[in-house]
Every structure is written in structure tokens, then in C-alpha cells.
Amino acid sequence: MSWQDSIDTTNMRSMVSGFPQLLRSSRPNDYILQEAVRLHERGIDGILLLGMGGSAIAGEICRAYLHDKTAKPILSVRDYTIPQFINDTWVTVAVSYSGNTEETLSAFKEAQSRGSSTIAFTTGATLKEYAGDSPVHILWPGFQPRAALPMVLSGLLPVLEILLDLDTTDLDTVSVDIEHVSSLWAGMQTTPADLAKMAKDAIPLFIGWRHLIPVAYRARCQMNENAKKMAFSSELPEANHNEIEGTASCVKTQFLPVFLRSNEEDKRIQTRIEATIETFIENGCSPVNLDLELPSRIHESLGYTHFLDSMSVELAEILGVDPMHVERITELKKKLEIKT
Ligand code: PA5
């Protein structure tokens, strides 16, 4: 069955449940693949990723996943302008689901003016127009941008792997595995619905290490956008040098720290995470040690994302809010259009 038969794009829960299917929904076409091969053969100095909000996450997850597999820099910019050193030896990959996000468009234009080759991922609109004859990966329309993450990643990761001359990750297998694992969530000690109940009256704080840093950030964004809930994310070991002091305020403000655990943790990191959990407990918090026990780095990145996306729709339901509409984001975009 194709995702079109089973996913209702008017319903966030349905799109979130369809995460594994969407991971195999949008492979790059031959033109994009050939262009990626050509650029790799010509030689590149680095990859610049552009995108905002829900459209930035696929790139962030890929960047963290690939961080030690390539000697080339992968840079992510979520802003209007790009660094001076971007030139014609860099490839710029821009993602904007709507194709109309002004920061992404501005940075994209700047990259083009520096001679950078470009590849765009979008449903159309201005980004497609700006891209001209350079490759454009057209995304299925009708989704909320943040729900399109697996679809974007399904096209983006293979392109990055070709540009960087890396082995291809078998996303079809990962997708089937994640589908299977999610069917077992109901029997787990902590389900997405349990986490959502715990987060109802607390401020969730997702804490990740290495490739799970963007996953923690994604979880925070999903609580914000889907559940209209203030939430935060942080990264270890950095949080041990600042945020840990903030645990003194746990007695006054109820936080829900959620530690995303990885099979890749070495002894040093494990000891650090456990000591941090202890500090939270000593300061009156009840942290959740979330260990999904997934078989590989990419399974962890995507499996945790799927799990926490599901938490966000459960939380939206508990809080009685509509996970589909992001009226404040839309209003702000309108206000800025009027001003410029
Ligand atoms: O998920 C969302 O709706 C937002 O975070 C958008 O992704 C963000 O505003 C950027 O828009 P777009 O994805 O259309 O570039």
C-alpha cells in the first residue's frame, strides 16, 4: 500500500504515524542523482544546508548522522545570510517546503551570487523559480512542513551521500525496522502517551548527545508547534558547563528532563549522562531516561524522532490544541510581509 492510501494529510496524527512510510516516499529523480554525481566528480569543498523550522530538521539530522563519515564540512545556516567563505566550490542544498520562506530565499540567492551550485527541495513557489535550471526535488504537496521531515530526508540523505562519495544508507530497511519497532511501543515501560501525560504540567527539556542533539531539538520544536507548549532542548557535554546550575530552579518550576540515550555512548559519556541525571534528581526533578535500544545510528536518529513526534500529538490532544495549524507562525510571516 502506498502512503497516499494510508496517510491523511489533513490530520497530524495520521502524518506522524506514517513517518516510516514517508521515509521511503520521495527518492531523488535521475536528474538530481546525475547532477550530484557530476558535482562530486568535479570536486567540492563543502556542503551548505539552508532551511528554517520544520524544513531545516532533515538537514540537521543528516549532518549529525554523517559528521564523522566525511572529511568535507557540512554547514547549516538558518538565517538570511551565509558566511563569506561560501563560493563556487561549495554546493548549497536548500529546503523550503512552501518555497516561500524569506530567510531561505535570501540565503539561497546569496549562495547563487557567489557561484555556488544549488539543489533545492520544495513543493514549488519562489524557491523553484529561483533555482532555474539547477536541480529541484519536488516534494509531495499538502503536508505541514514539519510532518514532511521523513519525506525530505528520504530524498536529501542519498543526495548528500553521493556528493560526499559515501556508501548509501538503506533507508528502505530502516523504515521497515522503525515501523516494526513502533508497533511494539505499547508494551514499553514509557510510551509516547505516558511521556505526554508527564509533560502536561511540566516544561519538557530534551537532552541529547552527538547525533541525538538535533533529535532533541526537533522534539522541542514539535512540542512548540504541534502541542503549542513551551519546551527546550540542550546538548551534552555542553549543558554540564551551564544548564546544570539551572537545576537549582527545579523546585520552583516543574521541568521534565528527557535524556535520549544512545548505544554509541562510550564510558566517558555514559558516566557524564548518569551524573547529570543524578544532579537533576538531587535538585527535585524526575528525569526520564529514554532508551529505545535501536540497532544503529540512523535507526536512533529516526526512531527517537518518530517516538517524540508521536509524543507531541498525544500532548496536543491532552492540552486540547490543534496540532495542524501554526497560527502564530503564519501571523508573524504576514506581519513581516507588511513591514518589508
Ligand atoms: O513546520 C512548520 O510549519 C514551520 O517550522 C516551517 O517549516 C517554517 O516556518 C519554514 O517554512 P517552510 O518549511 O515552508 O520553508
Side-chain angles (χ1 to χ4, degrees), residues 105-116:
L105 292 174
S106 156
F108 188 76
K109 268 247 165 266
E110 196 180 343
Q112 281 180 321
S113 74
R114 304 269 189 85
S116 168

Side-chain angles (χ1 to χ4, degrees), residues 52-55 95-99 101 104 144-146 225 326 329 333:
M52 303 300 296
S55 281
V95 183
S96 171
Y97 188 78
S98 65
T101 298
T104 312
Q144 284 294 310
R146 57 200 172 282
E225 292 187 57
V326 282
I329 296 177
K333 284 182 179 177

Side-chain angles (χ1 to χ4, degrees), residues 213-332:
I213 294 170
V215 175
Y217 174 69
R218 157 72 170 190
R220 163 217 151 155
C221 297
Q222 290 289 77
M223 302 310 138
N224 297 154
E225 292 187 57
N226 288 346
K228 325 295 177 219
K229 170 98 182 165
M230 203 48 106
F232 295 95
S233 64
S234 65
E235 58 181 84
L236 283 172
E238 173 61 16
N240 282 169
H241 301 273
N242 32 60
E243 185 181 280
I244 194 150
E245 287 299 328
T247 57
S249 68
C250 284
V251 277
K252 290 206 200 100
T253 313
Q254 206 189 333
F255 281 94
L256 175 69
V258 181
F259 286 81
L260 311 183
R261 304 304 300 268
S262 167
N263 279 334
E264 290 195 13
E265 289 163 15
D266 57 20
K267 193 82 209 110
R268 205 162 52 164
I269 284 296
Q270 234 171 49
T271 310
R272 192 176 269 284
I273 296 178
E274 274 146 31
T276 312
I277 292 178
E278 229 173 80
T279 308
F280 270 101
I281 295 172
E282 284 158 9
N283 282 277
C285 253
S286 304
V288 174
N289 187 43
L290 193 60
D291 192 349
L292 297 183
E293 292 175 26
L294 294 162
S296 76
R297 184 185 294 179
I298 193 71
H299 284 84
E300 287 186 351
S301 296
L302 299 172
Y304 275 104
T305 302
H306 184 30
F307 188 92
L308 296 167
D309 281 4
S310 305
M311 173 192 171
S312 76
V313 286
E314 298 293 348
L315 186 56
E317 191 170 310
I318 293 174
L319 298 175
V321 296
D322 175 5
M324 285 295 284
H325 295 110
V326 282
E327 59 189 85
R328 289 159 199 85
I329 296 177
T330 313
E331 275 307 308
L332 188 86

Side-chain angles (χ1 to χ4, degrees), residues 25-77:
S25 68
S26 189
R27 292 288 185 261
N29 64 38
D30 287 347
Y31 173 52
I32 299 178
L33 294 175
Q34 281 156 14
E35 274 298 289
V37 170
R38 188 185 66 77
L39 290 167
H40 156 66
E41 284 172 353
R42 191 205 63 186
I44 63 171
D45 281 349
I47 296 175
L48 171 67
L49 299 170
L50 304 177
M52 303 300 296
S55 281
I57 304 288
E60 293 289 341
I61 289 178
C62 290
R63 190 164 75 100
Y65 167 60
L66 299 173
H67 80 276
D68 59 356
K69 298 180 195 275
T70 171
K72 307 263 186 221
I74 309 174
L75 191 77
S76 163
V77 165

Side-chain angles (χ1 to χ4, degrees), residues 68-267:
D68 59 356
K69 298 180 195 275
T70 171
K72 307 263 186 221
I74 309 174
L75 191 77
S76 163
V77 165
R78 289 178 281 176
D79 202 350
Y80 290 93
T81 60
I82 60 174
Q84 271 303 324
F85 55 79
I86 303 298
N87 59 23
D88 60 357
T89 63
W90 282 66
V91 178
T92 297
V93 183
V95 183
S96 171
Y97 188 78
S98 65
N100 281 328
T101 298
E102 66 173 40
E103 299 92 316
T104 312
L105 292 174
S106 156
F108 188 76
K109 268 247 165 266
E110 196 180 343
Q112 281 180 321
S113 74
R114 304 269 189 85
S116 168
S117 306
T118 62
I119 302 176
F121 284 69
T122 184
T123 50
T126 315
L127 182 57
K128 181 167 181 280
E129 206 179 287
Y130 280 10
D133 291 336
S134 29
V136 179
H137 179 105
I138 297 292
L139 299 165
W140 297 100
F143 278 73
Q144 284 294 310
R146 57 200 172 282
L149 178 151
M151 181 199 294
V152 174
L153 196 136
S154 125
L156 181 62
L157 184 58
V159 169
L160 296 180
E161 287 173 331
I162 292 175
L163 289 170
L164 298 166
D165 198 24
L166 300 172
D167 291 342
T168 311
T169 301
D170 180 1
L171 283 176
D172 287 345
T173 302
V174 175
S175 133
V176 171
D177 293 347
I178 290 180
E179 202 158 23
H180 171 68
V181 167
S182 59
S183 70
L184 307 175
W185 286 347
M188 278 178 51
Q189 200 189 348
T190 309
T191 66
D194 294 335
L195 267 189
K197 275 182 217 137
M198 291 180 217
K200 178 177 169 275
D201 298 313
I203 301 172
L205 169 61
F206 300 94
I207 303 161
W209 167 74
R210 201 63 67 84
H211 57 290
L212 296 180
I213 294 170
V215 175
Y217 174 69
R218 157 72 170 190
R220 163 217 151 155
C221 297
Q222 290 289 77
M223 302 310 138
N224 297 154
E225 292 187 57
N226 288 346
K228 325 295 177 219
K229 170 98 182 165
M230 203 48 106
F232 295 95
S233 64
S234 65
E235 58 181 84
L236 283 172
E238 173 61 16
N240 282 169
H241 301 273
N242 32 60
E243 185 181 280
I244 194 150
E245 287 299 328
T247 57
S249 68
C250 284
V251 277
K252 290 206 200 100
T253 313
Q254 206 189 333
F255 281 94
L256 175 69
V258 181
F259 286 81
L260 311 183
R261 304 304 300 268
S262 167
N263 279 334
E264 290 195 13
E265 289 163 15
D266 57 20
K267 193 82 209 110

